[in-house]
Amino acid sequence: MIQTVATSPFHDQNPGTSGLRKKTRVFETPHYAENFIQSIFDCAGDIVGKLLVVGGDGRYLNSEIIQKVLKMAAANGFGRVTAGQNGWLSTPAASNLIRKYSAHGGIILSASHNPAGQAGDFGIKYNVANGGPAPEKVTGAIYQASRTLTRYKIADVADIPLDIAGERRIGDMVVEIVNPVADYAALMETLFDFAAIRRMVSHGFRMRFDAMNAITGPYAHEIFEHRLGMETGTVVNGTPLPDFGGGHPDPNPTYAAGLYTLMMSDAAPDFGAASDGDGDRNMVIGRDMFISPSDSLALLAANAHLAPGCRDGIAGIARSMPTSAAADRVAARNGLKMYETPTGWKFFGNLLDSGLVTLCGEESFGTGSGHVREKDGLWAVLLWLNILAASGKTAAGLVRNHWRDYGRNYYSRHDYEGVDAGAATAMMDDLRARLAALPGTQFGPLTISAADDFAYHDPVDQSVSEHQGIRILFEGGARIIFRLSGTGTEGATVRIYMEHYEADLDLHNMDTQEALSPLIAIADEISALKLRLNRLRPTVIV
Ligand code: G16
């Protein structure tokens, strides 16, 4: 029954910010997925008799690759696999299952917010026993293994029906198909005051949640409409579709434009939220008030004690380096530890595991806590709902109060997607070469105080991660960051992050792009990006 199949290595199986992401057609190449899965198993340590969790965001190819994972897990000696029914598991739900049932690890099939379908993207990610993405030393080993792979092992058996819950066997290995929502929803009930949120709903509170035709639909229907009593229709685009309805399930004002427009209109409900392809990102919007992910992290940190899961307060906060420093102000005022990590949720794992932090967040619409080891879109929405219910305030009111108390960090990211990779690398190299000469340079009233290429020294395992983004820091706290994305699948994506702190209450109502316009101009001047990338304007502004 177990076959050993001869193969030859692919040389592009290097996991990026979050797993291996490629065009779907690349994963359809014969042996491509099998090679990468075998490389994972070869680097996963002693897997014999152990439990593996597998599921994905339901995109095109999800079920086919799950069948391969099941058959290869059996051939490689796993004792048991827990898979989500229909092949569905959101990324945070998978993380929860790994932790709850002490699995050896998990395989999550997703290219996150990237479009799906045969012309779209696909991805495979390996998570380790703490429930979080494999750290760099593991992904590095997987990549090395993939470069010399000559065989993979697979069980020659019929497909397992994924739509029926219950246990099956592949040889000695048990496959359990589970309801993908049940354990996750139960966890949420332990963290938040569902009764208080239900009361708020019964007093007329209304929300719109856009699942973007991706994985959070079944979770959102169950939690918001069934358990919290919100009206049917609260959740829109709530059925996961293989091509995500042709959309781009990236919850931001550009790709969740319908929700954004509704929230800015007179017909807006009290609160709006959206999640991405695999359910780990979140966008939250109040009536007429877009809430940036950086502000959301800061506000959640300042108010987390209102939720039962954080009743005793939080240990510390971590944010990725390009995320605005709004949360740093909350940490400083409340005597909390604050950590600045490279982009990528995997860098929060050690801090969470050792209890140094409770809340983590990224500007890329990711927020989470120690309840799992992934960012968690619905968790963030529930924490907002809990804070709204406990405070009796509106979302916009909470944000304005927060700015009044802490000042406002104006913040924006400009993305230049799908640009020529060579031009992008040359621009970054050139900037890097000029870093030492930048301090002291003046641009009108702004003076560069420091410039460097961010390196992270992990305080737990002492590992060092270099070249994590070019930082240009100005006197007074303004910043410009240049990074190349690690999640794109076509050409390169240049991300430019701008931040400016404003303490003056009278200046808190400016348009974000207008408030940041001096920094936007400086970013262009320093890098000559428009010329070098041959683009007139960013593809996405968030
Ligand atoms: C992934 C990572 C995040 C990261 C984001 C953007 O999110 O898990 O930690 O912030 O990509 O990364 P980059 O700027 O390199 O494109 P997701 O939701 O795509 O898994």
Side-chain angles (χ1 to χ4, degrees), residues 16 154 162 176 239 384 394 411 419 442 467:
I154 189 161
L162 297 175
E176 189 185 6
T239 303
W384 264 97
T394 64
Y411 183 81
V419 298
Q442 269 189 304
H467 306 303

Side-chain angles (χ1 to χ4, degrees), residues 190-201:
T190 67
L191 300 173
F192 301 110
D193 189 347
F194 273 44
I197 302 172
R198 266 197 301 270
R199 265 196 307 281
M200 178 173 75
V201 170

Side-chain angles (χ1 to χ4, degrees), residues 306-320:
L306 296 173
C310 293
R311 186 161 283 141
D312 299 330
I314 59 177
I317 313 169
R319 63 164 172 84
S320 66

